[in-house]
Amino acid sequence: MEIKLDPSRDDLPLMANTSHMLVKHYVLDLEVDFESRIIEGTIVLFFEDGSRFRKQTSSTKETCQLASNKAYKFRTPELCHIPVTNARTTFNVGYSDFVICDKGEEDTSDKDGNHDNQEQASGISSSKYCCDTENHGREDFLLVLDCCDLSVLKVEEVDVAAVPGIEKFIRPSKLTTVSEELRNEIVHELVTLPAVHWRKQLDYFVRCSQAPSCGELFFDTDTWSLQIRKTGAQTATDFPHAIRISYKTKPEGQSVTWTSDQSGRPCVYTMGSPINNRALFPCQEPPVAMSTWQATVRAAASFVVLMSGENSAKPTQLHEGCSSWHYYVTMPMPASTFTIAVGCWTEVVPKKWSSNDLMIERPFPLSETDCRYVGVCSHMEYPCRFQNAAATTQKVIPHRVFAPGCLKGVCQEILLRLLPPCLSAAHSVLGSHPFSRLDILIVPANFSSLGMASPHIIFLSQSTLTGRSHLCGPRLCHEIAHTWFGLAIGARDWTEEWLSEGFATHLEDVFWAEAQQLAPHDAEEQRELRACLRWHRLRDELRNSPEEMQVLRPSKEKTGHVSDSGASVVKHGLNPEKNFMQVHYLKGYFLLRFLARRLGDKTYFSFLRKFVHKFHGQLILSQDFLQMLLENIPEEKRPDLSVENIFQDWLESSGIPKPLQGARPPGADCGLVRRVDAEVTKWMRLNQRPRKRRRREEEEVFEKLLPDQLVLLLEHLLEEKTLSRPTLQTLQRTYCLHEQDAEALGLTLQKLMSEQTACKWMSKTPSAKSWHGDVPGCPRGLITRPASRSPGGHPALSEGTITERNPMRNLVLLF
């Protein structure tokens, strides 16, 4: 059945025709203008066409053996039919189950400057494009890129053959005449250089990006895409493999946020919104388009530029008042993982260096001579840290912390002390860090998340610092876990968010217990207490969300499928309700907890290291993980376990998963939980006493609780229909709730008073003032518990967003 999709509604379109051409490298040259709130410059894209990619990968060993994985193989180039019709743009992506339609938009390209020379006369800006995969005609090939809220100024072919010294990449017999074929051959040789020559490769990418133009290309834009063609190029093989796009962002673009930091200084950072980076630069958003990149960013000299990059960039002064920063990445990753932040950040350094601090800060840079191959990797070739003997033993990678100047002290006191033990704990559980370094940035107060992980950089909310180590530590561990699950290992289909968020939620407890060096019994008690808290949140989530949004694998058997061109949709990707959901965190967490208990912790985490070693640098579907896991479970421990059963019980059904129905709730045997239950009984007894009798009777004696215990206590108390005012006042005096962290304070506020009263109370509370956020349409600082950054973990790696749904549950004070 054909389903007509309106991109303005629930499902998010991924328009790039990645089966025809695949971006292998991006070179960005950008300038940040805070007065106009625009990022402007050029991006050069280096491509391989589908047929060449297929030839390169056909000889490599297949790591995914399941039949469903056949959809991942790239197809031969297919032609694109471009009939000139009317002013509406329609894409027929050839997928048997849907058609993506952008209905009735007026062509405004001439007003926005979004058309090329002679473009209007040629008819391309008023064309109806649709892909003719059968090639019944002889029309030009159409390259489609994901693009939204960008002003594209010019698209041109890059004359890579004009670069001095480039002839060393080409056999002498091919150097007779400069042609399209020669230029494409140069790009092919450049993108397929052996990983050991990565420095030379990056150098020539930059040289090629600065080469002169050898002709402008026709282009057009619509709501979700940029379409480019060259007259006479009828196949992807004929199409230019190096193109340069001049463009500028729009202030309203959803991929970036222009704001001020906590010190009142202007800044800009990527949001990681559902549309990811297509409003930052034209790109291929589907996760299969794994590429490398390098970027030069210019800004006023007072600003610091942070970015996803393997190098700790330092500024280069261009002229008075202007500096440039250069970053690069050699590990291929989806373009959606690219992150940038520009602001007047202060680097936070320890007040006093210890000998241990100095020891762990020694870098282990990858060079062209020190790679000692200790194992065979299954991913495409790049300078992999898993193959570097020095990197495998590096427990703590080099790291830096950046924040607004006003938060320098608290970062020194809390964050800098937590980073080494958390990084070391992650290494002890999973092995080699996939990335060579890490920056941490405390983002502005309107950042609607607790954290967000991207390659080489983590964004953290300032509210994580208010809870001291018990709130900041687990959140930091959660984001570090995304280094492996979400970044080094990505979901091939964005709807399978649990593959990043479920794993990060499960591993944060393991990492945090290891970082604290807890005894086994204490670590188990802490994990069970946190499991009990998540159980309460999962029940709340399922009670207050649509059933269709509770499914972790909404596309079911079509998960991972794309059209012949490579285009696809992300089911529910644009549904605003999805941003408020944490079901993929919680159900994913409980699935992994269930499997770990079946296998036993020791065997499970031993398996997890094997899984990471096998699949790092690759994209996976749920069955890749589940199939390998089941092969490691002894037959006697899995009589009722199969990939199909797990799909049915956990991933493709709404509500509480079957294995959890009727089972004892998490924490039933946990001493920390039982102590909370005893305290709840005391509070209920106090709440039920008549007011006059309270004065004559001896007051209850309440025990001191751990922060997580206090949150669980409040969860229980908030389930009561009424709490009397004296009870609430006693609750406040007993636990000094106004001094507690964001989670406990938020839960209290929602019961104590209306949102309007809460705002007044917050404005008079010193501890609450530091958490204020300026969020339109929501009381200052009130924000939900974890929600996702984007569809599927790339990089759907953030926690928290604003909501008006169910205001009496899951509301926490973050800013």
Side-chain angles (χ1 to χ4, degrees):
M1 178 177 129
E2 185 175 83
I3 301 174
K4 297 253 179 167
L5 172 66
D6 181 353
S8 66
R9 294 170 60 185
D10 287 352
D11 294 338
L12 174 69
L14 301 178
M15 306 296 288
N17 50 349
T18 54
S19 293
H20 299 157
M21 297 187 72
L22 201 66
V23 177
K24 304 299 288 183
H25 190 77
Y26 296 93
V27 178
L28 296 97
D29 187 9
L30 304 175
E31 185 161 356
V32 181
D33 185 346
F34 281 96
E35 289 189 9
S36 61
R37 294 195 167 193
I38 285 174
I39 299 176
E40 184 173 6
T42 63
I43 181 170
V44 179
L45 298 81
F46 296 87
F47 293 92
E48 277 282 73
D49 63 70
S51 61
R52 271 185 166 156
F53 184 84
R54 187 173 183 180
K55 289 176 184 177
Q56 293 169 33
T57 58
S58 61
S59 60
T60 61
K61 183 178 179 180
E62 291 291 332
T63 60
C64 304
Q65 302 297 328
L66 298 179
S68 63
N69 290 351
K70 293 179 181 178
Y72 185 39
K73 296 181 180 178
F74 289 90
R75 298 165 176 79
T76 55
E78 297 161 340
L79 302 186
C80 202
H81 177 61
I82 316 178
V84 177
T85 54
N86 53 45
R88 296 190 300 177
T89 302
T90 302
F91 280 86
N92 183 337
V93 295
Y95 190 13
S96 61
D97 292 315
F98 63 82
V99 176
I100 300 178
C101 297
D102 187 0
K103 300 180 180 179
E105 283 205 356
E106 293 184 7
D107 175 31
T108 58
S109 57
D110 55 335
K111 298 176 184 177
D112 296 332
N114 293 341
H115 60 80
D116 194 326
N117 53 358
Q118 304 302 316
E119 189 175 340
Q120 189 72 27
S122 71
I124 192 169
S125 66
S126 59
S127 297
K128 176 182 178 182
Y129 302 101
C130 73
C131 200
D132 177 10
T133 59
E134 299 296 327
N135 188 24
H136 295 301
R138 298 181 179 178
E139 290 78 9
D140 298 330
F141 169 79
L142 187 70
L143 173 68
V144 182
L145 299 175
D146 293 299
C147 175
C148 181
D149 291 332
L150 293 178
S151 294
V152 178
L153 309 176
K154 181 169 63 174
V155 181
E156 55 191 348
E157 180 179 1
V158 179
D159 188 5
V160 294
V163 175
I166 202 69
E167 60 274 4
K168 67 181 66 175
F169 291 98
I170 301 299
R171 292 186 294 274
S173 60
K174 292 197 173 185
L175 287 173
T176 54
T177 59
V178 176
S179 64
E180 191 71 66
E181 181 181 0
L182 175 65
R183 285 189 284 266
N184 288 352
E185 184 68 23
I186 291 172
V187 174
H188 169 71
E189 294 297 326
L190 181 56
V191 301
T192 57
L193 270 180
V196 70
H197 299 306
W198 63 271
R199 291 186 186 275
K200 179 190 297 185
Q201 186 183 47
L202 291 178
D203 178 56
Y204 272 95
F205 274 136
V206 171
R207 294 190 194 185
C208 289
S209 72
Q210 297 169 349
S213 166
C214 54
E216 294 189 14
L217 304 176
F218 298 120
F219 69 90
D220 192 22
T221 60
D222 65 10
T223 303
W224 291 111
S225 68
L226 166 65
Q227 313 101 39
I228 306 169
R229 74 170 177 89
K230 178 180 180 179
T231 302
Q234 297 180 9
T235 69
T237 304
D238 302 330
F239 193 82
H241 284 29
I243 64 172
R244 180 165 48 231
I245 302 172
S246 301
Y247 75 98
K248 57 184 178 181
T249 64
K250 297 181 180 180
E252 68 272 18
Q254 297 179 56
S255 295
V256 293
T257 294
W258 300 86
T259 185
S260 298
D261 66 17
Q262 293 86 338
S263 297
R265 305 292 296 275
C267 62
V268 61
Y269 61 90
T270 54
M271 274 295 293
S273 61
I275 66 169
N276 287 315
N277 283 318
R278 70 187 74 178
L280 178 63
F281 57 89
C283 58
Q284 292 182 333
E285 288 272 47
V288 296
M290 297 176 71
S291 60
T292 53
W293 59 75
Q294 56 198 128
T296 298
V297 180
R298 295 179 298 282
S302 58
F303 290 94
V304 174
V305 177
L306 301 177
M307 207 183 84
S308 306
E310 295 169 17
N311 58 313
S312 299
K314 301 296 182 182
T316 300
Q317 184 172 351
L318 299 178
H319 51 78
E320 186 176 356
C322 181
S323 298
S324 71
W325 303 68
H326 181 75
Y327 288 91
Y328 63 83
V329 163
T330 62
M331 174 183 174
M333 283 173 289
S336 56
T337 63
F338 180 100
T339 297
I340 188 171
V342 184
C344 300
W345 323 121
T346 298
E347 183 174 358
V348 183
V349 296
K351 295 179 180 178
K352 184 178 180 181
W353 288 95
S354 69
S355 58
N356 288 337
D357 292 330
L358 293 174
M359 177 187 67
I360 62 178
E361 285 295 315
R362 288 181 300 156
F364 288 82
L366 286 172
S367 73
E368 297 185 7
T369 59
D370 68 357
C371 283
R372 301 174 179 86
Y373 293 92
V374 296
V376 178
C377 296
S378 302
H379 53 70
M380 65 183 76
E381 188 182 13
Y382 64 85
C384 179
R385 284 175 55 83
F386 283 79
Q387 298 177 4
N388 185 292
T392 59
T393 59
Q394 188 181 22
K395 295 182 179 180
V396 181
I397 56 176
H399 50 272
R400 305 181 299 179
V401 173
F402 292 87
C406 61
L407 296 177
K408 180 179 178 180
V410 68
C411 287
Q412 286 177 324
E413 183 181 353
I414 298 174
L415 190 53
L416 280 178
R417 293 182 179 181
L418 287 174
L419 260 171
C422 289
L423 288 169
S424 180
H427 179 274
S428 68
V429 176
L430 294 180
S432 301
H433 290 276
F435 303 120
S436 58
R437 69 173 197 93
L438 177 65
D439 283 342
I440 307 285
L441 173 64
I442 304 300
V443 282
N446 68 341
F447 181 67
S448 58
S449 305
L450 280 176
M452 185 177 76
S454 296
H456 314 99
I457 185 169
I458 289 174
F459 291 172
L460 279 184
S461 166
Q462 67 182 54
S463 61
T464 61
L465 303 175
T466 62
R468 318 300 291 178
S469 62
H470 87 272
L471 185 59
C472 187
R475 181 53 46 201
L476 188 57
C477 288
H478 181 104
E479 304 306 333
I480 290 173
H482 278 311
T483 302
W484 286 266
F485 292 95
L487 295 175
I489 302 175
R492 190 189 310 167
D493 189 310
W494 272 355
T495 60
E496 294 204 302
E497 294 167 79
W498 82 273
L499 287 171
S500 58
E501 300 301 352
F503 274 92
T505 304
H506 190 238
L507 286 169
E508 74 175 71
D509 294 349
V510 180
F511 289 0
W512 181 230
E514 181 74 19
Q516 297 171 91
Q517 298 184 339
L518 297 179
H521 176 266
D522 294 337
E524 179 64 17
E525 285 278 295
Q526 181 176 274
R527 285 199 295 266
E528 286 300 292
L529 173 60
R530 293 174 68 82
C532 185
L533 279 169
R534 293 189 181 109
W535 177 250
H536 280 267
R537 289 166 189 161
L538 177 60
R539 288 190 306 169
D540 291 338
E541 179 86 3
L542 300 179
R543 288 171 183 165
N544 296 281
S545 60
E547 286 192 3
E548 64 271 16
M549 302 293 289
Q550 300 174 14
V551 179
L552 301 190
R553 199 167 177 261
S555 300
K556 299 187 178 180
E557 70 277 0
K558 295 190 180 298
T559 302
H561 289 198
V562 297
S563 70
D564 288 341
S565 71
S568 62
V569 296
V570 181
K571 195 169 182 62
H572 305 310
L574 290 176
N575 190 327
E577 187 83 1
K578 191 175 189 302
N579 291 330
F580 310 142
M581 301 285 291
Q582 47 183 315
V583 66
H584 44 284
Y585 293 77
L586 299 172
K587 288 179 75 171
Y589 160 81
F590 280 109
L591 169 57
L592 295 173
R593 172 185 162 93
F594 167 78
L595 294 172
R597 287 177 169 245
R598 277 292 188 96
L599 199 58
D601 278 353
K602 184 177 180 180
T603 305
Y604 174 77
F605 287 106
S606 175
F607 154 76
L608 212 55
R609 288 178 72 124
K610 294 178 185 177
F611 180 81
V612 165
H613 186 80
K614 179 175 181 179
F615 283 99
H616 70 273
Q618 300 175 73
L619 303 172
I620 65 170
L621 297 176
S622 295
Q623 54 262 44
D624 299 320
F625 170 75
L626 296 173
Q627 187 67 46
M628 185 174 173
L629 176 71
L630 294 178
E631 291 170 357
N632 283 264
I633 298 180
E635 192 68 33
E636 64 273 12
K637 291 189 177 182
R638 58 182 180 98
D640 56 342
L641 281 182
S642 67
V643 174
E644 293 74 20
N645 288 344
I646 294 173
F647 279 170
Q648 183 176 352
D649 295 343
W650 290 89
L651 304 181
E652 296 180 356
S653 60
S654 58
I656 298 291
K658 281 185 180 180
L660 297 184
Q661 296 175 9
R664 298 187 71 189
D669 299 322
C670 174
L672 295 177
V673 174
R674 289 199 300 268
R675 196 173 307 154
V676 172
D677 292 339
E679 294 303 294
V680 170
T681 301
K682 294 179 185 178
W683 282 105
M684 289 299 95
R685 194 160 53 226
L686 176 66
N687 191 56
Q688 292 167 5
R689 290 177 188 167
R691 187 174 301 180
K692 292 182 180 180
R693 289 183 56 193
R694 293 187 187 191
R695 299 173 182 172
R696 297 194 296 267
E697 294 182 3
E698 184 178 347
E699 290 189 2
E700 296 278 4
V701 178
F702 299 102
E703 290 191 33
K704 185 177 180 180
L705 298 177
L706 298 172
D708 283 335
Q709 286 180 301
L710 177 57
V711 173
L712 182 59
L713 173 76
L714 294 173
E715 288 275 5
H716 282 297
L717 295 181
L718 292 176
E719 290 176 358
E720 297 298 314
K721 291 183 178 180
T722 57
L723 290 178
S724 67
R725 183 169 183 174
T727 299
L728 291 172
Q729 291 171 340
T730 306
L731 193 68
Q732 156 66 18
R733 289 195 305 270
T734 302
Y735 300 116
C736 299
L737 292 175
H738 63 286
E739 297 177 359
Q740 295 296 333
D741 62 64
E743 189 166 30
L745 183 55
L747 283 167
T748 307
L749 288 178
Q750 47 179 298
K751 193 68 178 182
L752 278 173
M753 54 199 79
S754 67
E755 290 182 350
Q756 290 75 16
T757 308
C759 291
K760 292 179 182 179
W761 185 87
M762 288 163 59
S763 66
K764 299 177 181 178
T765 305
S767 61
K769 284 182 180 179
S770 63
W771 299 335
H772 276 181
D774 186 10
V775 186
C778 182
R780 291 171 63 83
L782 295 180
I783 176 172
T784 63
R785 282 288 293 178
S788 74
R789 170 188 179 184
S790 70
H794 272 315
L797 313 180
S798 68
E799 340 302 334
T801 189
I802 303 155
T803 180
E804 296 178 358
R805 178 181 60 80
N806 192 20
M808 292 302 292
R809 302 299 296 169
N810 298 324
L811 198 64
V812 292
L813 182 64
L814 287 189
F815 297 97

